[in-house]
PDB file of all heavy atoms in Angstrom:
ATOM      1  N   VAL Q  34     -47.647   0.918  17.798  1.00 96.00           N
ATOM      2  CA  VAL Q  34     -46.991   0.551  16.545  1.00 96.00           C
ATOM      3  C   VAL Q  34     -45.843  -0.411  16.844  1.00 96.00           C
ATOM      4  O   VAL Q  34     -45.114  -0.232  17.810  1.00 96.00           O
ATOM      5  CB  VAL Q  34     -46.448   1.812  15.823  1.00 96.00           C
ATOM      6  CG1 VAL Q  34     -45.711   1.433  14.546  1.00 96.00           C
ATOM      7  CG2 VAL Q  34     -47.571   2.786  15.514  1.00 96.00           C
ATOM      8  N   GLN Q  47     -38.989  10.863  26.281  1.00 94.00           N
ATOM      9  CA  GLN Q  47     -38.471  10.903  24.911  1.00 94.00           C
ATOM     10  C   GLN Q  47     -39.619  10.892  23.899  1.00 94.00           C
ATOM     11  O   GLN Q  47     -40.760  10.615  24.241  1.00 94.00           O
ATOM     12  CB  GLN Q  47     -37.545   9.711  24.669  1.00 94.00           C
ATOM     13  CG  GLN Q  47     -36.237   9.846  25.431  1.00 94.00           C
ATOM     14  CD  GLN Q  47     -35.255   8.769  25.046  1.00 94.00           C
ATOM     15  OE1 GLN Q  47     -35.503   7.594  25.253  1.00 94.00           O
ATOM     16  NE2 GLN Q  47     -34.138   9.175  24.467  1.00 94.00           N
ATOM     17  N   VAL Q  53     -47.008   9.632   8.099  1.00 91.00           N
ATOM     18  CA  VAL Q  53     -48.119   8.731   7.826  1.00 91.00           C
ATOM     19  C   VAL Q  53     -48.008   8.174   6.407  1.00 91.00           C
ATOM     20  O   VAL Q  53     -48.237   7.001   6.158  1.00 91.00           O
ATOM     21  CB  VAL Q  53     -49.474   9.444   8.010  1.00 91.00           C
ATOM     22  CG1 VAL Q  53     -50.619   8.516   7.636  1.00 91.00           C
ATOM     23  CG2 VAL Q  53     -49.619   9.918   9.441  1.00 91.00           C
ATOM     24  N   PHE Q  64     -43.600   9.387  23.435  1.00 92.00           N
ATOM     25  CA  PHE Q  64     -43.976   8.009  23.770  1.00 92.00           C
ATOM     26  C   PHE Q  64     -44.847   8.036  25.011  1.00 92.00           C
ATOM     27  O   PHE Q  64     -44.474   8.638  26.021  1.00 92.00           O
ATOM     28  CB  PHE Q  64     -42.738   7.167  24.073  1.00 92.00           C
ATOM     29  CG  PHE Q  64     -41.842   6.952  22.891  1.00 92.00           C
ATOM     30  CD1 PHE Q  64     -40.688   7.701  22.734  1.00 92.00           C
ATOM     31  CD2 PHE Q  64     -42.146   5.991  21.940  1.00 92.00           C
ATOM     32  CE1 PHE Q  64     -39.852   7.492  21.656  1.00 92.00           C
ATOM     33  CE2 PHE Q  64     -41.314   5.782  20.842  1.00 92.00           C
ATOM     34  CZ  PHE Q  64     -40.161   6.532  20.707  1.00 92.00           C
ATOM     35  N   MET Q  79     -53.780  14.289  19.564  1.00 85.00           N
ATOM     36  CA  MET Q  79     -55.051  14.960  19.392  1.00 85.00           C
ATOM     37  C   MET Q  79     -55.205  15.264  17.909  1.00 85.00           C
ATOM     38  O   MET Q  79     -54.257  15.686  17.247  1.00 85.00           O
ATOM     39  CB  MET Q  79     -55.095  16.255  20.196  1.00 85.00           C
ATOM     40  CG  MET Q  79     -56.493  16.785  20.198  1.00 85.00           C
ATOM     41  SD  MET Q  79     -56.886  18.307  21.061  1.00 85.00           S
ATOM     42  CE  MET Q  79     -55.773  18.591  22.288  1.00 85.00           C
ATOM     43  N   GLU Q  96     -49.844   0.228   7.983  1.00 92.00           N
ATOM     44  CA  GLU Q  96     -48.440   0.522   8.272  1.00 92.00           C
ATOM     45  C   GLU Q  96     -48.167   2.006   8.130  1.00 92.00           C
ATOM     46  O   GLU Q  96     -48.647   2.638   7.199  1.00 92.00           O
ATOM     47  CB  GLU Q  96     -47.540  -0.234   7.289  1.00 92.00           C
ATOM     48  CG  GLU Q  96     -47.462  -1.713   7.583  1.00 92.00           C
ATOM     49  CD  GLU Q  96     -46.888  -2.488   6.413  1.00 92.00           C
ATOM     50  OE1 GLU Q  96     -46.199  -1.874   5.577  1.00 92.00           O
ATOM     51  OE2 GLU Q  96     -47.154  -3.690   6.340  1.00 92.00           O
ATOM     52  N   LEU Q 100     -41.176   5.720  11.216  1.00 95.00           N
ATOM     53  CA  LEU Q 100     -41.214   6.001  12.651  1.00 95.00           C
ATOM     54  C   LEU Q 100     -39.771   5.949  13.121  1.00 95.00           C
ATOM     55  O   LEU Q 100     -39.074   4.955  12.898  1.00 95.00           O
ATOM     56  CB  LEU Q 100     -42.070   4.965  13.392  1.00 95.00           C
ATOM     57  CG  LEU Q 100     -42.319   5.244  14.886  1.00 95.00           C
ATOM     58  CD1 LEU Q 100     -43.624   4.606  15.336  1.00 95.00           C
ATOM     59  CD2 LEU Q 100     -41.185   4.779  15.778  1.00 95.00           C
ATOM     60  N   ALA Q 126     -50.375  12.966  28.005  1.00 85.00           N
ATOM     61  CA  ALA Q 126     -49.724  11.815  27.389  1.00 85.00           C
ATOM     62  C   ALA Q 126     -48.231  11.795  27.686  1.00 85.00           C
ATOM     63  O   ALA Q 126     -47.610  10.739  27.729  1.00 85.00           O
ATOM     64  CB  ALA Q 126     -49.953  11.834  25.887  1.00 85.00           C
ATOM     65  N   ALA Q 134     -42.463   6.773  35.564  1.00 91.00           N
ATOM     66  CA  ALA Q 134     -41.024   6.559  35.734  1.00 91.00           C
ATOM     67  C   ALA Q 134     -40.549   7.124  37.062  1.00 91.00           C
ATOM     68  O   ALA Q 134     -39.699   6.540  37.740  1.00 91.00           O
ATOM     69  CB  ALA Q 134     -40.265   7.202  34.572  1.00 91.00           C
ATOM     70  N   VAL Q 144     -50.226  14.305  41.037  1.00 95.00           N
ATOM     71  CA  VAL Q 144     -50.549  14.600  39.648  1.00 95.00           C
ATOM     72  C   VAL Q 144     -51.652  15.651  39.585  1.00 95.00           C
ATOM     73  O   VAL Q 144     -52.644  15.564  40.305  1.00 95.00           O
ATOM     74  CB  VAL Q 144     -51.018  13.326  38.907  1.00 95.00           C
ATOM     75  CG1 VAL Q 144     -51.483  13.669  37.489  1.00 95.00           C
ATOM     76  CG2 VAL Q 144     -49.900  12.300  38.867  1.00 95.00           C
ATOM     77  N   ASP Q 158     -57.857   7.400  34.219  1.00 89.00           N
ATOM     78  CA  ASP Q 158     -57.834   6.058  34.819  1.00 89.00           C
ATOM     79  C   ASP Q 158     -56.415   5.515  34.920  1.00 89.00           C
ATOM     80  O   ASP Q 158     -56.036   4.908  35.916  1.00 89.00           O
ATOM     81  CB  ASP Q 158     -58.695   5.089  33.997  1.00 89.00           C
ATOM     82  CG  ASP Q 158     -60.165   5.489  34.043  1.00 89.00           C
ATOM     83  OD1 ASP Q 158     -60.536   6.244  34.979  1.00 89.00           O
ATOM     84  OD2 ASP Q 158     -60.912   5.091  33.132  1.00 89.00           O
ATOM     85  N   ALA Q 177     -65.611  18.632  34.658  1.00 87.00           N
ATOM     86  CA  ALA Q 177     -65.042  17.502  35.407  1.00 87.00           C
ATOM     87  C   ALA Q 177     -64.107  18.067  36.452  1.00 87.00           C
ATOM     88  O   ALA Q 177     -63.505  19.126  36.260  1.00 87.00           O
ATOM     89  CB  ALA Q 177     -64.287  16.562  34.477  1.00 87.00           C
ATOM     90  N   PRO Q 186     -54.373  24.506  41.897  1.00 93.00           N
ATOM     91  CA  PRO Q 186     -53.855  23.476  42.816  1.00 93.00           C
ATOM     92  C   PRO Q 186     -52.329  23.480  42.897  1.00 93.00           C
ATOM     93  O   PRO Q 186     -51.776  23.173  43.963  1.00 93.00           O
ATOM     94  CB  PRO Q 186     -54.362  22.157  42.221  1.00 93.00           C
ATOM     95  CG  PRO Q 186     -54.812  22.462  40.844  1.00 93.00           C
ATOM     96  CD  PRO Q 186     -55.163  23.906  40.802  1.00 93.00           C
ATOM     97  N   GLU Q 195     -45.610  21.416  50.044  1.00 90.00           N
ATOM     98  CA  GLU Q 195     -45.804  19.977  49.837  1.00 90.00           C
ATOM     99  C   GLU Q 195     -44.939  19.415  48.706  1.00 90.00           C
ATOM    100  O   GLU Q 195     -44.876  18.207  48.519  1.00 90.00           O
ATOM    101  CB  GLU Q 195     -47.277  19.694  49.496  1.00 90.00           C
ATOM    102  CG  GLU Q 195     -48.262  20.046  50.587  1.00 90.00           C
ATOM    103  CD  GLU Q 195     -48.479  18.900  51.563  1.00 90.00           C
ATOM    104  OE1 GLU Q 195     -47.912  17.822  51.328  1.00 90.00           O
ATOM    105  OE2 GLU Q 195     -49.203  19.099  52.559  1.00 90.00           O
ATOM    106  N   MET Q 208     -47.640  26.091  30.387  1.00 94.00           N
ATOM    107  CA  MET Q 208     -46.308  25.902  30.979  1.00 94.00           C
ATOM    108  C   MET Q 208     -45.739  27.236  31.454  1.00 94.00           C
ATOM    109  O   MET Q 208     -45.082  27.319  32.476  1.00 94.00           O
ATOM    110  CB  MET Q 208     -45.372  25.247  29.964  1.00 94.00           C
ATOM    111  CG  MET Q 208     -45.775  23.815  29.640  1.00 94.00           C
ATOM    112  SD  MET Q 208     -44.520  22.938  28.696  1.00 94.00           S
ATOM    113  CE  MET Q 208     -44.861  23.495  27.042  1.00 94.00           C
ATOM    114  N   THR Q 214     -45.908  30.601  38.387  1.00 93.00           N
ATOM    115  CA  THR Q 214     -46.459  30.253  39.705  1.00 93.00           C
ATOM    116  C   THR Q 214     -45.388  29.654  40.612  1.00 93.00           C
ATOM    117  O   THR Q 214     -45.255  30.041  41.778  1.00 93.00           O
ATOM    118  CB  THR Q 214     -47.611  29.231  39.530  1.00 93.00           C
ATOM    119  OG1 THR Q 214     -48.576  29.794  38.640  1.00 93.00           O
ATOM    120  CG2 THR Q 214     -48.259  28.889  40.851  1.00 93.00           C
ATOM    121  N   VAL Q 244     -33.171  29.647  26.210  1.00 96.00           N
ATOM    122  CA  VAL Q 244     -33.217  29.256  27.614  1.00 96.00           C
ATOM    123  C   VAL Q 244     -32.098  30.004  28.332  1.00 96.00           C
ATOM    124  O   VAL Q 244     -30.926  29.825  28.010  1.00 96.00           O
ATOM    125  CB  VAL Q 244     -33.014  27.727  27.768  1.00 96.00           C
ATOM    126  CG1 VAL Q 244     -33.127  27.319  29.234  1.00 96.00           C
ATOM    127  CG2 VAL Q 244     -34.023  26.957  26.927  1.00 96.00           C
ATOM    128  N   CYS Q 252     -34.897  19.557  20.223  1.00 95.00           N
ATOM    129  CA  CYS Q 252     -34.959  18.114  19.936  1.00 95.00           C
ATOM    130  C   CYS Q 252     -33.839  17.329  20.584  1.00 95.00           C
ATOM    131  O   CYS Q 252     -34.035  16.170  20.927  1.00 95.00           O
ATOM    132  CB  CYS Q 252     -34.976  17.873  18.433  1.00 95.00           C
ATOM    133  SG  CYS Q 252     -33.438  18.267  17.601  1.00 95.00           S
ATOM    134  N   VAL Q 253     -32.663  17.898  20.716  1.00 95.00           N
ATOM    135  CA  VAL Q 253     -31.565  17.136  21.320  1.00 95.00           C
ATOM    136  C   VAL Q 253     -31.192  17.619  22.720  1.00 95.00           C
ATOM    137  O   VAL Q 253     -30.900  16.819  23.603  1.00 95.00           O
ATOM    138  CB  VAL Q 253     -30.301  17.103  20.419  1.00 95.00           C
ATOM    139  CG1 VAL Q 253     -30.484  16.118  19.288  1.00 95.00           C
ATOM    140  CG2 VAL Q 253     -29.952  18.471  19.891  1.00 95.00           C
ATOM    141  N   GLU Q 279     -50.900  25.944   7.588  1.00 76.00           N
ATOM    142  CA  GLU Q 279     -51.629  24.834   8.190  1.00 76.00           C
ATOM    143  C   GLU Q 279     -53.112  24.912   7.836  1.00 76.00           C
ATOM    144  O   GLU Q 279     -53.757  23.907   7.547  1.00 76.00           O
ATOM    145  CB  GLU Q 279     -51.429  24.819   9.711  1.00 76.00           C
ATOM    146  CG  GLU Q 279     -50.098  24.189  10.099  1.00 76.00           C
ATOM    147  CD  GLU Q 279     -49.588  24.613  11.464  1.00 76.00           C
ATOM    148  OE1 GLU Q 279     -50.398  25.141  12.259  1.00 76.00           O
ATOM    149  OE2 GLU Q 279     -48.391  24.440  11.728  1.00 76.00           O
ATOM    150  N   SER Q 282     -53.492  23.763   4.300  1.00 73.00           N
ATOM    151  CA  SER Q 282     -53.302  22.321   4.229  1.00 73.00           C
ATOM    152  C   SER Q 282     -54.557  21.597   4.729  1.00 73.00           C
ATOM    153  O   SER Q 282     -55.022  20.639   4.110  1.00 73.00           O
ATOM    154  CB  SER Q 282     -52.094  21.949   5.072  1.00 73.00           C
ATOM    155  OG  SER Q 282     -51.722  20.636   4.865  1.00 73.00           O
TER     156      SER Q 282
END
Side-chain angles (χ1 to χ4, degrees):
Chain Q
V34 178
Q47 289 188 297
V53 176
F64 294 101
M79 190 180 336
E96 286 165 21
L100 187 153
V144 175
D158 295 340
E195 297 272 356
M208 293 191 278
T214 304
V244 183
C252 69
V253 283
E279 280 157 17
S282 190

